[in-house]
């Protein structure tokens, strides 16, 4: 089931996303949270930091797994997703560093790294709430458009459109890694709840295709139409513009 929650602004979408995580931590202090990178969840992370500082929530018992990591970047590289998570969340909340997990971008043997990351997720008993964004081409995590849905952790060749989109964070386009490890679509589908944060006009078309178009691995996020639990989509007005135009009845307004 998909709940599409309207937010006027990016800030509001972040607050709505933080509400889902807060509710989860209230009922289960030792939750397993799946986190995502990209610009979209940053506002939600800011709100979580604030709530943690205010004593409303605590991450002391929480374990985290991240969706993905670039292959070839060290954890302390300023464009690695490990660095991103520390900078945008982990360093500012009361989480234990040993309870945070990402794929190792420098692993020598990709097969072994995929198996290791699968085992990490398995050993935690799966993910309680998985945070997602969506790529311009409909990717979730780094699961790019393909002719199949992946299951466990994958090593992905990034598409030109993703490399272009992510080059804004690097000095030169050539610096963007061409491969990444990603949690597989099957692993994402096995999370017990999903919160997706989507912001900006640039995502409006793909968001409508993902939730109202054909379910196909060419639009990886479209598989969420078959998600057995609850997907809470927290999107701002710009990202919802096409859905609001074509399917206004599907959107929960405040
Ligand atoms: C990257 C991440 C995705 C994320 C996407 C969108 O490619 N691997 O998990 O959803 O970026 O990022 P943004 O939120 O900046 O648009």
């Amino acid at each position: 089931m998909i709940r599409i929650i309207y937010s006027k602004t990016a800030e509001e979408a972040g607050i709505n996303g933080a509400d889902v995580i807060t509710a989860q931590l209230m009922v289960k202090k030792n939750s397993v949270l799946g986190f995502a990178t990209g610009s979209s969840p940053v506002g939600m992370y800011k709100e979580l930091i604030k709530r943690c500082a205010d004593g409303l929530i605590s991450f002391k018992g929480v374990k985290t797994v991240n969706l993905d990591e670039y292959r070839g970047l060290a954890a302390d590289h300023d464009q690695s997703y490990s660095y991103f998570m520390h900078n945008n969340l982990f360093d500012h909340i009361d989480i234990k560093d040993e309870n945070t997990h990402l794929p190792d971008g420098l692993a020598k043997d990709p097969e072994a790294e995929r198996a290791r990351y699968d085992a990490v997720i398995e050993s935690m008993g799966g993910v309680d709430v998985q945070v997602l964004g969506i790529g311009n081409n409909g990717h979730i995590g780094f699961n790019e458009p393909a002719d199949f849905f992946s299951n466990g952790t994958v090593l992905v060749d990034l598409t030109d459109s993703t490399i272009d989109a992510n080059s804004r964070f690097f000095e030169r386009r050539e610096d963007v890694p061409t491969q990444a490890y990603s949690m597989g679509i099957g692993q994402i589908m096995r999370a017990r709840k999903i919160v997706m944060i989507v912001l900006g006009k640039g995502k409006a078309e793909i968001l409508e295709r993902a939730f109202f178009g054909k379910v196909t691995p060419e639009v990886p996020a479209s598989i969420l139409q078959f998600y057995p639990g609850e997907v809470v989509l927290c999107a701002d007005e710009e990202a919802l513009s096409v859905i609001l135009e074509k399917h206004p009845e599907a959107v929960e307004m405040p």
Side-chain angles (χ1 to χ4, degrees):
M1 179 210 174
I2 298 159
R3 288 186 60 195
I4 305 178
I5 312 280
Y6 169 93
S7 306
K8 176 93 186 139
T9 62
E11 196 190 342
E12 271 174 40
I15 290 172
N16 288 332
D19 283 348
V20 179
I21 304 287
T22 302
Q24 175 66 31
L25 294 182
M26 299 232 163
V27 292
K28 190 176 173 195
K29 291 195 181 354
N30 60 345
S31 291
V32 177
L33 301 178
F35 281 139
T37 53
S39 52
S40 307
V42 170
M44 182 184 79
Y45 294 150
K46 280 208 176 93
E47 182 64 23
L48 291 175
I49 291 168
K50 192 165 156 274
R51 290 182 190 188
C52 187
D54 291 347
L56 203 63
I57 50 174
S58 168
F59 293 82
K60 273 187 191 130
V62 168
K63 291 183 181 157
T64 72
V65 277
N66 256 76
L67 278 175
D68 45 18
E69 180 59 285
Y70 286 118
R71 182 171 185 219
L73 298 191
D76 61 357
H77 186 286
D78 67 2
Q79 288 309 325
S80 77
Y81 286 165
S82 171
Y83 186 93
F84 176 102
M85 287 310 300
H86 280 89
N87 208 21
N88 285 287
L89 185 66
F90 298 154
D91 291 353
H92 313 289
I93 57 176
D94 57 354
I95 198 160
K96 296 191 189 102
D97 202 39
E98 67 267 27
N99 285 344
T100 68
H101 303 271
L102 288 98
D104 175 4
L106 290 187
K108 292 258 170 335
D109 175 354
E111 280 309 306
E113 181 55 15
R114 289 172 49 190
R116 183 194 71 84
Y117 208 58
D118 285 348
V120 165
I121 297 170
E122 189 109 328
S123 73
M124 293 175 174
V127 175
D128 289 307
V129 180
Q130 178 63 53
V131 177
L132 294 179
I134 188 171
N136 294 328
N137 57 9
H139 74 217
I140 45 178
F142 263 133
N143 292 279
E144 297 282 39
D147 54 11
F148 68 101
F149 288 112
S150 58
N151 185 12
T153 308
V154 276
L155 178 63
V156 184
D157 291 324
L158 301 179
T159 62
D160 283 343
S161 96
T162 297
I163 293 173
D164 283 343
N166 291 357
S167 64
R168 67 198 145 124
F169 300 114
F170 290 80
E171 232 167 80
R172 297 170 312 166
R173 192 184 186 279
E174 308 86 84
D175 297 337
V176 187
T178 56
Q179 289 188 312
Y181 292 100
S182 178
M183 224 187 250
I185 297 279
Q187 278 163 327
I188 293 170
M189 291 292 277
R190 286 191 286 279
R192 290 183 271 279
K193 188 168 194 144
I194 289 177
V195 54
M196 184 183 242
I197 315 276
V198 186
L199 307 176
K201 189 112 205 119
K203 298 284 173 64
E205 291 282 347
I206 193 67
L207 197 56
E208 195 273 339
R209 268 181 78 197
F211 287 109
F212 296 91
K214 268 194 264 176
V215 174
T216 163
E218 282 161 27
V219 182
S222 66
I223 191 72
L224 297 174
Q225 292 183 41
F226 293 161
Y227 183 68
E230 189 175 65
V231 179
V232 183
L233 170 61
C234 301
D236 66 0
E237 189 172 75
E238 288 191 353
L240 285 177
S241 55
V242 177
I243 294 181
L244 281 168
E245 192 191 309
K246 295 192 179 170
H247 320 277
E249 70 295 339
V251 183
E252 287 182 37
M253 303 300 287

mmCIF file with all atom_site columns, all heavy atoms in Angstrom, residues 127-142:
data_model
loop_
_atom_site.group_PDB
_atom_site.id
_atom_site.type_symbol
_atom_site.label_atom_id
_atom_site.label_alt_id
_atom_site.label_comp_id
_atom_site.label_asym_id
_atom_site.label_entity_id
_atom_site.label_seq_id
_atom_site.pdbx_PDB_ins_code
_atom_site.Cartn_x
_atom_site.Cartn_y
_atom_site.Cartn_z
_atom_site.occupancy
_atom_site.B_iso_or_equiv
_atom_site.pdbx_formal_charge
_atom_site.auth_seq_id
_atom_site.auth_comp_id
_atom_site.auth_asym_id
_atom_site.auth_atom_id
_atom_site.pdbx_PDB_model_num
ATOM 1   N N   . VAL A 1 127 ? 15.395 -5.257 7.995   1.00 0.00 ? 127 VAL A N   1
ATOM 2   C CA  . VAL A 1 127 ? 15.295 -3.809 8.215   1.00 0.00 ? 127 VAL A CA  1
ATOM 3   C C   . VAL A 1 127 ? 13.863 -3.457 8.643   1.00 0.00 ? 127 VAL A C   1
ATOM 4   O O   . VAL A 1 127 ? 12.905 -3.890 8.019   1.00 0.00 ? 127 VAL A O   1
ATOM 5   C CB  . VAL A 1 127 ? 15.668 -3.067 6.906   1.00 0.00 ? 127 VAL A CB  1
ATOM 6   C CG1 . VAL A 1 127 ? 15.463 -1.572 7.047   1.00 0.00 ? 127 VAL A CG1 1
ATOM 7   C CG2 . VAL A 1 127 ? 17.105 -3.395 6.493   1.00 0.00 ? 127 VAL A CG2 1
ATOM 8   N N   . ASP A 1 128 ? 13.749 -2.669 9.713   1.00 0.00 ? 128 ASP A N   1
ATOM 9   C CA  . ASP A 1 128 ? 12.412 -2.252 10.170  1.00 0.00 ? 128 ASP A CA  1
ATOM 10  C C   . ASP A 1 128 ? 11.846 -1.136 9.295   1.00 0.00 ? 128 ASP A C   1
ATOM 11  O O   . ASP A 1 128 ? 10.716 -1.210 8.847   1.00 0.00 ? 128 ASP A O   1
ATOM 12  C CB  . ASP A 1 128 ? 12.475 -1.786 11.636  1.00 0.00 ? 128 ASP A CB  1
ATOM 13  C CG  . ASP A 1 128 ? 12.700 -2.957 12.577  1.00 0.00 ? 128 ASP A CG  1
ATOM 14  O OD1 . ASP A 1 128 ? 11.934 -3.931 12.497  1.00 0.00 ? 128 ASP A OD1 1
ATOM 15  O OD2 . ASP A 1 128 ? 13.649 -2.919 13.380  1.00 0.00 ? 128 ASP A OD2 1
ATOM 16  N N   . VAL A 1 129 ? 12.633 -0.066 9.116   1.00 0.00 ? 129 VAL A N   1
ATOM 17  C CA  . VAL A 1 129 ? 12.186 1.020  8.231   1.00 0.00 ? 129 VAL A CA  1
ATOM 18  C C   . VAL A 1 129 ? 13.321 1.346  7.270   1.00 0.00 ? 129 VAL A C   1
ATOM 19  O O   . VAL A 1 129 ? 14.447 1.619  7.699   1.00 0.00 ? 129 VAL A O   1
ATOM 20  C CB  . VAL A 1 129 ? 11.823 2.313  9.012   1.00 0.00 ? 129 VAL A CB  1
ATOM 21  C CG1 . VAL A 1 129 ? 11.373 3.402  8.033   1.00 0.00 ? 129 VAL A CG1 1
ATOM 22  C CG2 . VAL A 1 129 ? 10.732 2.045  10.019  1.00 0.00 ? 129 VAL A CG2 1
ATOM 23  N N   . GLN A 1 130 ? 13.021 1.310  5.995   1.00 0.00 ? 130 GLN A N   1
ATOM 24  C CA  . GLN A 1 130 ? 14.018 1.632  4.980   1.00 0.00 ? 130 GLN A CA  1
ATOM 25  C C   . GLN A 1 130 ? 13.697 2.996  4.372   1.00 0.00 ? 130 GLN A C   1
ATOM 26  O O   . GLN A 1 130 ? 12.583 3.231  3.904   1.00 0.00 ? 130 GLN A O   1
ATOM 27  C CB  . GLN A 1 130 ? 14.000 0.571  3.863   1.00 0.00 ? 130 GLN A CB  1
ATOM 28  C CG  . GLN A 1 130 ? 14.969 0.844  2.737   1.00 0.00 ? 130 GLN A CG  1
ATOM 29  C CD  . GLN A 1 130 ? 16.422 0.822  3.194   1.00 0.00 ? 130 GLN A CD  1
ATOM 30  O OE1 . GLN A 1 130 ? 16.874 -0.147 3.805   1.00 0.00 ? 130 GLN A OE1 1
ATOM 31  N NE2 . GLN A 1 130 ? 17.151 1.903  2.920   1.00 0.00 ? 130 GLN A NE2 1
ATOM 32  N N   . VAL A 1 131 ? 14.675 3.898  4.414   1.00 0.00 ? 131 VAL A N   1
ATOM 33  C CA  . VAL A 1 131 ? 14.532 5.210  3.772   1.00 0.00 ? 131 VAL A CA  1
ATOM 34  C C   . VAL A 1 131 ? 14.993 5.085  2.326   1.00 0.00 ? 131 VAL A C   1
ATOM 35  O O   . VAL A 1 131 ? 16.030 4.473  2.043   1.00 0.00 ? 131 VAL A O   1
ATOM 36  C CB  . VAL A 1 131 ? 15.398 6.266  4.505   1.00 0.00 ? 131 VAL A CB  1
ATOM 37  C CG1 . VAL A 1 131 ? 15.303 7.613  3.800   1.00 0.00 ? 131 VAL A CG1 1
ATOM 38  C CG2 . VAL A 1 131 ? 14.991 6.378  5.962   1.00 0.00 ? 131 VAL A CG2 1
ATOM 39  N N   . LEU A 1 132 ? 14.228 5.677  1.419   1.00 0.00 ? 132 LEU A N   1
ATOM 40  C CA  . LEU A 1 132 ? 14.604 5.667  0.001   1.00 0.00 ? 132 LEU A CA  1
ATOM 41  C C   . LEU A 1 132 ? 14.486 7.066  -0.583  1.00 0.00 ? 132 LEU A C   1
ATOM 42  O O   . LEU A 1 132 ? 13.664 7.865  -0.137  1.00 0.00 ? 132 LEU A O   1
ATOM 43  C CB  . LEU A 1 132 ? 13.663 4.775  -0.822  1.00 0.00 ? 132 LEU A CB  1
ATOM 44  C CG  . LEU A 1 132 ? 13.640 3.271  -0.604  1.00 0.00 ? 132 LEU A CG  1
ATOM 45  C CD1 . LEU A 1 132 ? 12.591 2.653  -1.535  1.00 0.00 ? 132 LEU A CD1 1
ATOM 46  C CD2 . LEU A 1 132 ? 15.010 2.662  -0.873  1.00 0.00 ? 132 LEU A CD2 1
ATOM 47  N N   . GLY A 1 133 ? 15.290 7.312  -1.635  1.00 0.00 ? 133 GLY A N   1
ATOM 48  C CA  . GLY A 1 133 ? 15.041 8.433  -2.542  1.00 0.00 ? 133 GLY A CA  1
ATOM 49  C C   . GLY A 1 133 ? 14.704 7.801  -3.882  1.00 0.00 ? 133 GLY A C   1
ATOM 50  O O   . GLY A 1 133 ? 14.436 6.593  -3.959  1.00 0.00 ? 133 GLY A O   1
ATOM 51  N N   . ILE A 1 134 ? 14.701 8.585  -4.917  1.00 0.00 ? 134 ILE A N   1
ATOM 52  C CA  . ILE A 1 134 ? 14.530 8.002  -6.255  1.00 0.00 ? 134 ILE A CA  1
ATOM 53  C C   . ILE A 1 134 ? 15.479 8.746  -7.205  1.00 0.00 ? 134 ILE A C   1
ATOM 54  O O   . ILE A 1 134 ? 15.637 9.965  -7.088  1.00 0.00 ? 134 ILE A O   1
ATOM 55  C CB  . ILE A 1 134 ? 13.054 8.092  -6.729  1.00 0.00 ? 134 ILE A CB  1
ATOM 56  C CG1 . ILE A 1 134 ? 12.836 7.309  -8.030  1.00 0.00 ? 134 ILE A CG1 1
ATOM 57  C CG2 . ILE A 1 134 ? 12.601 9.534  -6.887  1.00 0.00 ? 134 ILE A CG2 1
ATOM 58  C CD1 . ILE A 1 134 ? 11.368 7.170  -8.441  1.00 0.00 ? 134 ILE A CD1 1
ATOM 59  N N   . GLY A 1 135 ? 16.143 8.006  -8.068  1.00 0.00 ? 135 GLY A N   1
ATOM 60  C CA  . GLY A 1 135 ? 17.029 8.631  -9.051  1.00 0.00 ? 135 GLY A CA  1
ATOM 61  C C   . GLY A 1 135 ? 16.206 9.183  -10.214 1.00 0.00 ? 135 GLY A C   1
ATOM 62  O O   . GLY A 1 135 ? 15.034 8.828  -10.388 1.00 0.00 ? 135 GLY A O   1
ATOM 63  N N   . ASN A 1 136 ? 16.839 10.041 -11.016 1.00 0.00 ? 136 ASN A N   1
ATOM 64  C CA  . ASN A 1 136 ? 16.148 10.634 -12.178 1.00 0.00 ? 136 ASN A CA  1
ATOM 65  C C   . ASN A 1 136 ? 15.618 9.566  -13.119 1.00 0.00 ? 136 ASN A C   1
ATOM 66  O O   . ASN A 1 136 ? 14.648 9.794  -13.830 1.00 0.00 ? 136 ASN A O   1
ATOM 67  C CB  . ASN A 1 136 ? 17.113 11.514 -12.977 1.00 0.00 ? 136 ASN A CB  1
ATOM 68  C CG  . ASN A 1 136 ? 17.544 12.717 -12.179 1.00 0.00 ? 136 ASN A CG  1
ATOM 69  O OD1 . ASN A 1 136 ? 16.768 13.214 -11.360 1.00 0.00 ? 136 ASN A OD1 1
ATOM 70  N ND2 . ASN A 1 136 ? 18.773 13.179 -12.384 1.00 0.00 ? 136 ASN A ND2 1
ATOM 71  N N   . ASN A 1 137 ? 16.275 8.416  -13.148 1.00 0.00 ? 137 ASN A N   1
ATOM 72  C CA  . ASN A 1 137 ? 15.852 7.339  -14.054 1.00 0.00 ? 137 ASN A CA  1
ATOM 73  C C   . ASN A 1 137 ? 15.005 6.280  -13.331 1.00 0.00 ? 137 ASN A C   1
ATOM 74  O O   . ASN A 1 137 ? 14.780 5.208  -13.864 1.00 0.00 ? 137 ASN A O   1
ATOM 75  C CB  . ASN A 1 137 ? 17.076 6.685  -14.703 1.00 0.00 ? 137 ASN A CB  1
ATOM 76  C CG  . ASN A 1 137 ? 18.058 6.146  -13.677 1.00 0.00 ? 137 ASN A CG  1
ATOM 77  O OD1 . ASN A 1 137 ? 17.751 6.108  -12.479 1.00 0.00 ? 137 ASN A OD1 1
ATOM 78  N ND2 . ASN A 1 137 ? 19.225 5.725  -14.124 1.00 0.00 ? 137 ASN A ND2 1
ATOM 79  N N   . GLY A 1 138 ? 14.571 6.585  -12.128 1.00 0.00 ? 138 GLY A N   1
ATOM 80  C CA  . GLY A 1 138 ? 13.718 5.651  -11.391 1.00 0.00 ? 138 GLY A CA  1
ATOM 81  C C   . GLY A 1 138 ? 14.502 4.679  -10.539 1.00 0.00 ? 138 GLY A C   1
ATOM 82  O O   . GLY A 1 138 ? 13.927 3.739  -9.974  1.00 0.00 ? 138 GLY A O   1
ATOM 83  N N   . HIS A 1 139 ? 15.836 4.866  -10.410 1.00 0.00 ? 139 HIS A N   1
ATOM 84  C CA  . HIS A 1 139 ? 16.582 3.911  -9.581  1.00 0.00 ? 139 HIS A CA  1
ATOM 85  C C   . HIS A 1 139 ? 16.276 4.090  -8.094  1.00 0.00 ? 139 HIS A C   1
ATOM 86  O O   . HIS A 1 139 ? 15.939 5.169  -7.636  1.00 0.00 ? 139 HIS A O   1
ATOM 87  C CB  . HIS A 1 139 ? 18.093 3.926  -9.869  1.00 0.00 ? 139 HIS A CB  1
ATOM 88  C CG  . HIS A 1 139 ? 18.889 5.087  -9.369  1.00 0.00 ? 139 HIS A CG  1
ATOM 89  N ND1 . HIS A 1 139 ? 19.928 5.633  -10.082 1.00 0.00 ? 139 HIS A ND1 1
ATOM 90  C CD2 . HIS A 1 139 ? 18.841 5.785  -8.211  1.00 0.00 ? 139 HIS A CD2 1
ATOM 91  C CE1 . HIS A 1 139 ? 20.467 6.614  -9.385  1.00 0.00 ? 139 HIS A CE1 1
ATOM 92  N NE2 . HIS A 1 139 ? 19.827 6.726  -8.255  1.00 0.00 ? 139 HIS A NE2 1
ATOM 93  N N   . ILE A 1 140 ? 16.366 2.970  -7.371  1.00 0.00 ? 140 ILE A N   1
ATOM 94  C CA  . ILE A 1 140 ? 16.316 3.028  -5.906  1.00 0.00 ? 140 ILE A CA  1
ATOM 95  C C   . ILE A 1 140 ? 17.591 2.366  -5.402  1.00 0.00 ? 140 ILE A C   1
ATOM 96  O O   . ILE A 1 140 ? 18.021 1.350  -5.941  1.00 0.00 ? 140 ILE A O   1
ATOM 97  C CB  . ILE A 1 140 ? 15.033 2.390  -5.291  1.00 0.00 ? 140 ILE A CB  1
ATOM 98  C CG1 . ILE A 1 140 ? 14.683 1.038  -5.917  1.00 0.00 ? 140 ILE A CG1 1
ATOM 99  C CG2 . ILE A 1 140 ? 13.876 3.347  -5.400  1.00 0.00 ? 140 ILE A CG2 1
ATOM 100 C CD1 . ILE A 1 140 ? 13.454 0.358  -5.296  1.00 0.00 ? 140 ILE A CD1 1
ATOM 101 N N   . GLY A 1 141 ? 18.177 2.970  -4.344  1.00 0.00 ? 141 GLY A N   1
ATOM 102 C CA  . GLY A 1 141 ? 19.553 2.608  -4.021  1.00 0.00 ? 141 GLY A CA  1
ATOM 103 C C   . GLY A 1 141 ? 20.337 2.951  -5.276  1.00 0.00 ? 141 GLY A C   1
ATOM 104 O O   . GLY A 1 141 ? 20.189 4.045  -5.841  1.00 0.00 ? 141 GLY A O   1
ATOM 105 N N   . PHE A 1 142 ? 21.163 2.004  -5.715  1.00 0.00 ? 142 PHE A N   1
ATOM 106 C CA  . PHE A 1 142 ? 21.818 2.194  -7.014  1.00 0.00 ? 142 PHE A CA  1
ATOM 107 C C   . PHE A 1 142 ? 21.347 1.116  -7.992  1.00 0.00 ? 142 PHE A C   1
ATOM 108 O O   . PHE A 1 142 ? 22.071 0.727  -8.896  1.00 0.00 ? 142 PHE A O   1
ATOM 109 C CB  . PHE A 1 142 ? 23.335 2.165  -6.876  1.00 0.00 ? 142 PHE A CB  1
ATOM 110 C CG  . PHE A 1 142 ? 23.962 3.532  -6.794  1.00 0.00 ? 142 PHE A CG  1
ATOM 111 C CD1 . PHE A 1 142 ? 24.916 3.807  -5.829  1.00 0.00 ? 142 PHE A CD1 1
ATOM 112 C CD2 . PHE A 1 142 ? 23.625 4.529  -7.685  1.00 0.00 ? 142 PHE A CD2 1
ATOM 113 C CE1 . PHE A 1 142 ? 25.516 5.050  -5.745  1.00 0.00 ? 142 PHE A CE1 1
ATOM 114 C CE2 . PHE A 1 142 ? 24.222 5.785  -7.618  1.00 0.00 ? 142 PHE A CE2 1
ATOM 115 C CZ  . PHE A 1 142 ? 25.170 6.048  -6.640  1.00 0.00 ? 142 PHE A CZ  1
#
